[in-house]
Amino acid sequence: MANSVSDTSLSHLSEFVTVQMGLHFPRERWRDLERGIGYAAREFDFKDVESCIQWLVSSPLTKNQIEILASRLTVGETYFFREKKGFEILEEHILPELIHSRRGSEKHLRIWSAGCCTGEEPYSIAILLSKVIPDLEGWNITILATDINPRFLQKAFEGAYRQWSFRDTPLWIKERYFKKTRDGRFEIIPEMKKIVMFSYLNLAEDTYPSLMNNTNAMDIIFCRNVLMYFAPDRVKKVIQNLYRSLVDGGWLIVSPIETLHVLYSQFVTVNFPDAIRYKKDSTKSQKVEDVISKGIPFYPLRDKTKVAFQPTFDIVQEQQLQVTLSQESRGYLHLEVEEPKTTELPLDLYIEALALYERGRYGEATEKLIELFSHNQETPRATALLARAYANQGKLSKAREWCEKAIVADKLNPGFYYLCATILQE
């Protein structure tokens, strides 16, 4: 089989995979795409990768072809109770509110793990529910777990895991909810396994919300470390469909590196300590709330043309910047900064970089930030933004380097340490 694929073929395949599956492979990730298609070509019985690509892009994919490609182009890396802070917020704030509101009526909860990988996330949710709801048997609980990769779903359905899936997981969870198998794996107990329903679903398709696949009327949707692999335009569509899949008052939970407020304008943004969550509330759309500590500043969105500026990993400054975004004919953003109150750095370059970043144009954001630094304006928040831009391009070594520079510049900012940990984890 040929060991090298032409850039032209990879370009065509990248565009095709984006249209058919929603997966985003920019030029920086073409080598990953080449490796994946090499494995897929063998499954399609092609000895030549170029011929396989030409065959694939010549017609729409069948469901079987999508499943084979998904198994080769997606990466499964997760573990039980990943991102502990998120589960703490779920246990201490979100679930108690939902449970209290349902105890006087029909006792039901509907939760969806969208992009469930090999099952650690939905099983973690089931375990948490058994902890916070003593009378769990008296509740009608739905935990839907979906993924595009059939191999992941098969492993998730089996529910047996190696020790690696329990890294950074409290020992009592494995002892109480798993039993050791003869081959040394740990299998989830039947009481938890029966709560979770696994199903194939391609988030890039407009098949949800729907009664047909049980993706309607959800109270909570987990969609973590999934959106980062989609093309920017597809991300917006997926978020809109997830919004429609939630009941009013429902919650969307994404990973820390996917909290870009511009994308979630239809949600109420809720600031928890060290985390951000998105709530569907038709009476309070376009508003940012802080339900935990009223002392933390926030930026309310005044109308649909205003985009609230709030760095995800920065300590919010006293100066509040309101950015007006308008679309030019060329597709670029024209930005107007209203009454800037600081000369900390050239605001136009930083704000442009931030806007480009939030639109998924990470390479252009990187160029803006490097231009900014050429003016000796290497501030901690700009440095952290550059780290995030590199990370989203798959350039993790550079991302780590710039994140460490941000930490050196501002050693007391916990967000920078969290960002560095996220980069190291990936």
Side-chain angles (χ1 to χ4, degrees):
M1 180 172 292
N3 295 321
S4 180
V5 182
S6 69
D7 285 353
T8 300
S9 293
L10 288 175
S11 177
H12 291 161
L13 181 62
S14 174
E15 294 175 5
F16 181 75
V17 168
T18 297
V19 172
Q20 295 289 322
M21 304 170 65
L23 300 179
H24 186 40
F25 283 89
R27 191 180 187 90
E28 294 80 6
R29 294 190 61 214
W30 279 3
R31 298 284 75 83
D32 296 333
L33 181 61
E34 182 177 2
R35 283 192 294 270
I37 194 61
Y39 290 119
R42 296 186 181 97
E43 292 196 52
F44 291 131
D45 294 325
F46 278 87
K47 295 182 179 180
D48 178 73
V49 178
E50 291 274 2
S51 298
C52 179
I53 294 175
Q54 294 303 316
W55 169 71
L56 281 172
V57 302
S58 63
S59 60
L61 294 175
T62 65
K63 184 174 184 293
N64 181 60
Q65 291 166 352
I66 288 176
E67 290 178 354
I68 291 175
L69 282 177
S71 67
R72 294 306 184 182
L73 300 182
T74 57
V75 179
E77 178 55 34
T78 186
Y79 52 91
F80 287 98
F81 288 89
R82 183 181 182 181
E83 297 174 7
K84 285 183 178 179
K85 189 65 183 177
F87 279 98
E88 289 175 5
I89 292 171
L90 186 65
E91 178 181 358
E92 297 171 5
H93 302 287
I94 296 176
L95 282 177
E97 174 188 330
L98 285 171
I99 293 169
H100 177 74
S101 67
R102 302 286 167 81
R103 283 200 177 277
S105 56
E106 182 182 354
K107 297 180 179 179
H108 71 277
L109 281 175
R110 291 175 55 78
I111 302 175
W112 178 13
S113 172
C116 67
C117 194
T118 47
E120 287 89 337
E121 179 178 86
Y123 285 137
S124 295
I125 296 169
I127 291 170
L128 183 59
L129 288 178
S130 72
K131 179 183 176 183
V132 300
I133 306 178
D135 57 337
L136 190 63
E137 291 293 331
W139 284 69
N140 180 10
I141 301 292
T142 296
I143 301 178
L144 174 65
T146 66
D147 203 275
I148 194 176
N149 190 325
R151 291 181 173 87
F152 291 169
L153 290 172
Q154 180 60 38
K155 180 177 179 180
F157 181 77
E158 293 172 356
Y161 300 91
R162 300 289 182 185
Q163 182 62 41
W164 185 238
S165 291
F166 297 91
R167 60 191 186 275
D168 201 31
T169 303
L171 182 61
W172 65 267
I173 290 176
K174 186 169 63 175
E175 292 176 343
R176 184 180 303 179
Y177 294 99
F178 294 83
K179 58 181 180 180
K180 196 168 185 177
T181 62
R182 292 181 179 179
D183 62 358
R185 295 184 297 169
F186 297 88
E187 185 177 0
I188 189 95
I189 61 176
E191 292 84 351
M192 296 294 98
K193 191 173 184 179
K194 69 180 182 181
I195 300 176
V196 183
M197 178 179 67
F198 292 98
S199 178
Y200 171 89
L201 190 139
N202 183 356
L203 289 173
E205 298 177 349
D206 289 328
T207 57
Y208 60 100
S210 172
L211 289 169
M212 299 297 294
N213 53 25
N214 201 26
T215 54
N216 63 301
M218 289 292 169
D219 295 300
I220 303 171
I221 298 177
F222 281 75
C223 190
R224 303 189 300 172
N225 303 298
V226 175
L227 300 176
M228 68 177 72
Y229 296 109
F230 286 165
D233 290 343
R234 193 59 58 92
V235 169
K236 296 177 183 178
K237 185 64 176 178
V238 170
I239 292 173
Q240 180 60 35
N241 285 343
L242 293 177
Y243 179 86
R244 293 168 53 226
S245 298
L246 286 166
V247 298
D248 205 25
W251 294 82
L252 174 62
I253 298 175
V254 298
S255 70
I257 59 174
E258 295 168 321
T259 53
L260 307 178
H261 300 317
V262 172
L263 296 175
Y264 306 95
S265 59
Q266 65 268 58
F267 288 88
V268 173
T269 302
V270 183
N271 293 322
F272 292 93
D274 302 321
I276 294 173
R277 294 292 177 259
Y278 299 101
K279 187 176 184 180
K280 180 177 179 178
D281 188 340
S282 58
T283 66
K284 298 180 179 179
S285 61
Q286 300 287 324
K287 182 178 179 182
V288 180
E289 289 186 346
D290 185 343
V291 298
I292 304 302
S293 172
K294 299 301 182 182
I296 299 177
F298 64 91
Y299 299 88
L301 295 176
R302 297 174 183 172
D303 57 60
K304 292 185 178 180
T305 63
K306 299 289 186 175
V307 179
F309 166 67
Q310 182 180 5
T312 303
F313 293 103
D314 289 354
I315 297 176
V316 180
Q317 306 295 321
E318 291 182 3
Q319 293 84 1
Q320 298 189 7
L321 300 178
Q322 196 71 33
V323 182
T324 303
L325 301 183
S326 62
Q327 198 76 24
E328 290 186 349
S329 59
R330 293 179 300 167
Y332 293 96
L333 290 175
H334 174 68
L335 297 99
E336 298 176 0
V337 181
E338 296 182 357
E339 300 179 357
K341 299 181 180 180
T342 176
T343 57
E344 179 189 12
L345 71 166
L347 286 174
D348 54 339
L349 286 177
Y350 178 79
I351 296 298
E352 287 180 27
L354 180 63
L356 289 166
Y357 176 91
E358 293 193 337
R359 295 189 67 204
R361 291 156 61 173
Y362 306 120
E364 295 172 67
T366 299
E367 293 175 0
K368 288 290 182 184
L369 290 167
I370 292 175
E371 181 184 353
L372 176 68
F373 296 162
S374 69
H375 297 291
N376 296 320
Q377 298 291 345
E378 192 173 315
T379 66
R381 65 175 181 175
T383 303
L385 181 61
L386 180 57
R388 293 165 62 193
Y390 274 131
N392 281 325
Q393 296 174 74
K395 300 177 180 179
L396 297 180
S397 295
K398 287 187 176 181
R400 179 183 177 183
E401 175 188 343
W402 284 97
C403 188
E404 289 175 347
K405 289 183 179 181
I407 291 173
V408 170
D410 187 358
K411 296 182 177 64
L412 299 181
N413 191 327
F416 295 163
Y417 292 94
Y418 191 96
L419 174 59
C420 191
T422 303
I423 292 169
L424 288 170
Q425 179 175 285
E426 292 302 318

